[in-house]
Each structure stands twice: as structure tokens, then as C-alpha cells.
Amino acid sequence: MNESSPILNISIFGVFVLITLFVVIRASRNNKTAADYLAAGRAFTGPQNGIAIAGDYLSAASFLGIAGAIALNGYDGFLYSIGFLVAWLVALLLVAELLRNTGKYTMGDVLSFRMRQRPVRAAAATSTMAVSFFYLLAQMAGAGGLVALLLGITGTGGQAIVIAVVGALMIAYVLIGGMKGTTWVQIIKAVLLIVGAGIMTVWVLGKYGFNLSSLLGAAVDAAPKAGEKLLGPGLQYGATGTSKLDFLSLALALVLGTAGLPHILMRFYTVPTAKEARRSVVWAIWLIGIFYLFTLVLGYGAGALVGPDRINAAPGKANSAAPLLALELGGPILLGLIAAVAFATILAVVAGLTITASASFAHDIYANIIKKGREQNGNGNGDDEDKTDEVKVARITAIVIGLVSIGGGIVANGQNIAFLVALAFAVAASANLPTILYSLFWKRFNTSGALWSIYGGLIVTITLIILSPAVSGKPTSMFKNADFDLFPLSNPGIVSIPVAFLLGYIGTILSKEKADSVKQAEMEVRSLTGAGAEKAIAH
């Protein structure tokens, strides 16, 4: 059996970092205005943005987490892939084009369009920060486990240093390149990830005569404890009534979460027209769908060729399944390449998350709440496209978010990252989606309802996560020695999502505030036609 070569792995990763930093610096030359920094100047085509969306969406959870979940839990692990993919249909049919037409830079633009600006923007920015933080936890935890495997680092101190280095690189990408540089990193990473996973998929199938049944049979033989259960539902989520309910909760969070993820929604503002926004989503669905089919082969391939015992014994546990499979197939060189791709995945996604959270703070809280929407440029004319202070604030916020996520990643290190991402999806589906849908489709919806659904959904979801077995009470929890798991489900989606919708309804009904019918009509026309949207072109 070939062993990992730390020097080779670091060299391959170093080459990737140098190339992407070069791309980011080149892209940053055109960052002259707020629109350039926060929305890439709306200069990307639909296919380019579709590849970047795939790059943003196919996170470490998709590559490392899902492959590991399938290797250990078979069919139940593949349900993550199905949930993540089906979620795109919700995003495409309900929100993508309408959001693109209504907003400028952030989700707060849409939610506050026909509401009282300051309180709703503050709520939208708060929820954006919360979702981004949970998502960042997952990526940072993935970075720690991956590099621990590559460099043979077993101590938590060494892994903490690795997480800090990833955070520093991420901050550099965002500070230098803005949305434009981040988008190019995501495009490069998406191509590398899909090509790398495709090569490994063909390689694994080739070992079994391109016969999927033979591969599945080998995976069953390699896992005598699980046996045939690998091929059917219930291995992870079927032992008890609670675990079945947990699965239903997870599925709900995955399917409804994408349409509320701020860093995905923000990508629709980087294209010039609604037509290009639609093309973006179609490209993204194809690329993401193909990749998730690859994960099925990679997961069962890791189960068959590496085996669950070796995967569980590795530093990153389930997250190490794909890198260990690469080592088994092509030795240290393939491991180094695949690990560099996985690391690139983490860097690109954390950069996207960081710019989303920092843009939301700068645009929604600084420009529209602190400055009351009257920020002026050097000429004193308040030109919307040239808010230099807004860009400065976004950069400072990026540094703060980077430091906080490094700390969180160190705490979450060792958790399955697909599971951690599912928590971010639960927060997005509870705090953001009800407000987005009500804003777009319910005429009576008002500021009170928006605040009830955002803050209520956020508080309920985070409270239930803190009181769940994900945080304490189990050997697999974040805090293994504590025990305050009062809520039985690991993912709170099944409770928090309906509660958030209900709170939005109650908050609206109880409020005596009348909805602004003129603004509502303007929003409806604009969201459906694109009339009045940024760089609007009728199609």
C-alpha cells in the first residue's frame, strides 16, 4: 500500500494557491466600484456564473462528507446527494430569477424592498451572518481533517494551525479579489473538482469491469457489520422512530435550504440579465447533478477498496474516505492531486461565504442603516456605484468573519462536514426562506411579519441546535463531555421551518401596519419582468 507523501502534497497545494492568487490579483485590477467588488460588475455570462455556482455549492461537504457518508452508511449517505440536488429545483422555480430582478447586491435588498428599510435590513444581515458562520464551520472542519490526513498530523494543536492557515488564505482572496476574484477561483475549482471526481469514478468502475452491481457487491463484502443494509434505506436513519424523524427533518432542511442560502442567492447578482440568471441555474443543475452521481461511485468505491475500518481510523474519519480512495487507486500522486482539489474546494467556498457575509454587513448595516442610505463618494454625489467606504467596511468585516470562523472551525474539527452543512441549511430554510417567499408572493406581508419570521426562525433554529445531540450528549457531539441535549433530533428543520412560516404569518396578522401596496405592485412587476432591475434588458 502506497503511503501519503507530505512534501508532495504540500507542493501540489502550493502550486494551486499560487495560480489562484495570481488569478485573484489579475481580477482585482478592475475593482473600481462597489458593484465591481460586491457583484463582480455584473459582468459574468450565464454559463460562467453557472460553473461558479457549482463551485460555490459543491463544497467540502459534497466531496468529502457525502463520499464518507456513502462509504459508511450506503444508501442513507446518498440521500444527502439527492437532497442537495432536488433543492436546486426549489431555487430555480421559486426564487432565482425573481431575486435577481428585485435586488442589487444582497438578500437584504429583496426583503426590505417594500418594508421599513432599517429593521428588515438589520434582520437580513443578521441571518446572513448566522448561515455563513454555520457553513464556514463545516469548511474549516473539513480543512483540519484533510490536512491532518495529508501531513500525518494527529494532534489537535497541529490541526488548529492548519485551520488558521486556511482562514488566512481565505481572507487574502476576499480582500484582494472581491466577488470577481472569488468567482474566478470558484470556476477554476469547479472544473478541477468535477474532472478529478470524474477520473476517479471511471477508475473505480474500471476496477469492477464497469459493472455497478459488482462494485456494490464488493462494498457489501468489505463491510460485514453492515452487510446488505448498505444497499437499502435505514442503516443510519432507520433504527428507531427518532432516527426516522431525524432523517425527515434533515431532508426538509436540505430541500428547502438552498433557496435561502445567501452566498448562493448573491451569485445571481453577478450576471447582467434575468435570462442569464436562468441560464446560470440550468448550467449549475447539470454540473451538480453529474457530480452527485460521481459521489455514489466514489462512496461505494471507498467502502469496497478502503473499507470502513480504515476510514474510521483515519484522522478525519468519514471525511477521509475520498482521499484514502485516491491513495488506494493512484498512490501518493493521485492523493496529492485530489487533496489539492479538495483543499481548493474549501478555499473557494469559504471565500464565497466570507464575501457574502461581509457584503451584507457593509451594504445592509453600514450603508443603509448606519449611513441611512445617504453614503457619499469623494465627489459628494452619493453615486450608488462608487461607494468606496462600503468596500472598506466589507474588507474589515471579512477579516473579522475570517477570525471568528477560524475559532469555530477549531471547535467543530472532527465532525462530519455534510452533517454540519445540513445545520446551515436548516438555519437558511428557517430564517430566510419564509421571509423570501412571503415577500415575493403575499401582498399583505409587512415589516412586522418579516422581523417575526427572520428573528423567530433564527432563534428557534439555533436554540434547538444548541440543545440537540449534535452539540452535546453523545460520543460524536461537538462537546463530548457535556450533556444538555434536551431536543432529540440532530437537525431541527422539521420543527423550525414550519414555526418560522407560522411566525411570519402571525407577525403580519397581529400588526396594524398596512402593507405598502404601491411598493408591492412595483416589486411584483419588477420581479416578474426585470423592469427597473440593475442593467435590466428585457427578454
Side-chain angles (χ1 to χ4, degrees), residues 63-434:
F63 186 45
L64 303 177
I66 292 176
I70 294 171
L72 299 178
N73 299 307
Y75 183 95
D76 281 11
F78 188 53
L79 292 171
Y80 278 103
S81 291
I82 296 168
F84 284 142
L85 182 59
V86 171
W88 265 107
L89 298 177
V90 180
L92 172 63
L93 296 173
L94 290 179
V95 299
E97 184 180 343
L98 303 179
L99 279 175
R100 162 65 191 77
N101 289 340
T102 312
K104 275 187 179 175
Y105 301 136
T106 68
M107 189 178 70
D109 289 332
V110 181
L111 300 186
S112 65
F113 193 94
R114 59 189 181 97
M115 312 291 176
R116 293 202 310 275
Q117 292 279 314
R118 297 179 75 187
V120 176
R121 282 190 183 276
T126 304
S127 105
T128 296
M129 299 280 193
V131 175
S132 299
F133 175 70
F134 276 98
Y135 219 109
L136 279 164
L137 279 189
Q139 307 309 315
M140 294 300 197
L146 179 67
V147 178
L149 175 74
L150 297 182
L151 308 183
I153 299 169
T154 51
T156 51
Q159 292 185 31
I161 292 169
V162 167
I163 290 170
V165 170
V166 173
L169 273 171
M170 155 191 94
I171 293 167
Y173 281 158
V174 174
L175 293 185
I176 298 166
M179 178 58 95
K180 199 170 283 184
T182 302
T183 300
W184 279 114
V185 171
Q186 283 158 344
I187 290 171
I188 294 166
K189 166 243 144 157
V191 171
L192 287 175
L193 182 61
I194 293 167
V195 169
I199 290 168
M200 282 178 67
T201 299
V202 172
W203 201 327
V204 168
L205 286 173
K207 280 188 169 289
Y208 294 95
F210 293 94
N211 185 329
L212 190 59
S213 295
S214 299
L215 169 61
L216 297 178
V220 169
D221 293 340
K225 287 180 187 172
E228 294 284 340
K229 289 181 183 175
L230 273 178
L231 306 182
L235 181 58
Q236 185 178 6
Y237 294 109
T240 63
T242 304
S243 61
K244 287 177 182 174
L245 202 59
D246 215 351
F247 164 66
L248 193 60
S249 190
L250 170 72
L252 203 60
L254 294 183
V255 170
L256 297 179
T258 297
L261 287 176
H263 70 293
I264 298 295
L265 299 178
M266 196 168 163
R267 292 235 59 87
F268 296 123
Y269 300 130
T270 64
V271 291
T273 65
K275 181 183 179 184
E276 292 299 310
R278 287 196 299 275
R279 288 180 73 202
S280 297
V281 181
V282 172
W283 269 76
I285 285 175
W286 273 105
L287 293 171
I288 291 164
I290 290 165
F291 179 82
Y292 282 141
L293 288 175
F294 291 162
T295 63
L296 182 66
V297 175
L298 296 179
Y300 278 115
L305 294 168
V306 180
D309 292 340
R310 266 178 56 208
I311 292 169
N312 280 320
K317 294 191 169 60
N319 303 331
S320 303
L324 286 171
L325 176 63
L327 184 61
E328 191 70 33
L329 291 172
I333 292 176
L334 185 62
L335 171 64
L337 290 169
I338 293 302
V341 168
F343 221 99
T345 295
I346 291 165
L347 276 175
V349 173
V350 293
L353 285 162
T354 305
I355 193 160
T356 300
S358 58
S360 182
F361 182 86
H363 182 65
D364 292 324
I365 291 181
Y366 175 76
N368 285 286
I369 295 176
I370 297 172
K371 290 286 186 178
K372 300 182 183 176
R374 295 196 301 269
E375 188 198 6
Q376 295 183 332
N377 63 17
N379 305 321
N381 60 16
D383 183 353
D384 182 60
E385 293 292 331
D386 192 21
K387 297 178 180 175
T388 50
D389 279 1
E390 195 172 321
V391 174
K392 277 182 202 163
V393 171
R395 287 184 161 134
I396 293 165
T397 310
I399 295 170
V400 175
I401 291 164
L403 295 174
V404 171
S405 63
I406 288 167
I410 291 168
V411 172
N413 194 15
Q415 295 281 309
N416 183 302
I417 41 188
F419 166 72
L420 285 173
V421 163
L423 295 182
F425 272 64
V427 177
S430 306
N432 296 344
L433 187 64

Side-chain angles (χ1 to χ4, degrees), residues 134 249 419 423 426-427 430 456-472 484-500:
F134 276 98
S249 190
F419 166 72
L423 295 182
V427 177
S430 306
L458 205 54
I459 291 164
V460 168
T461 313
I462 291 175
T463 303
L464 293 180
I465 288 172
I466 290 168
L467 298 177
S468 77
V471 174
S472 73
F484 44 87
D485 60 327
L486 305 176
F487 181 68
L489 305 180
S490 293
N491 193 298
I494 199 167
V495 175
S496 60
I497 297 169
V499 165

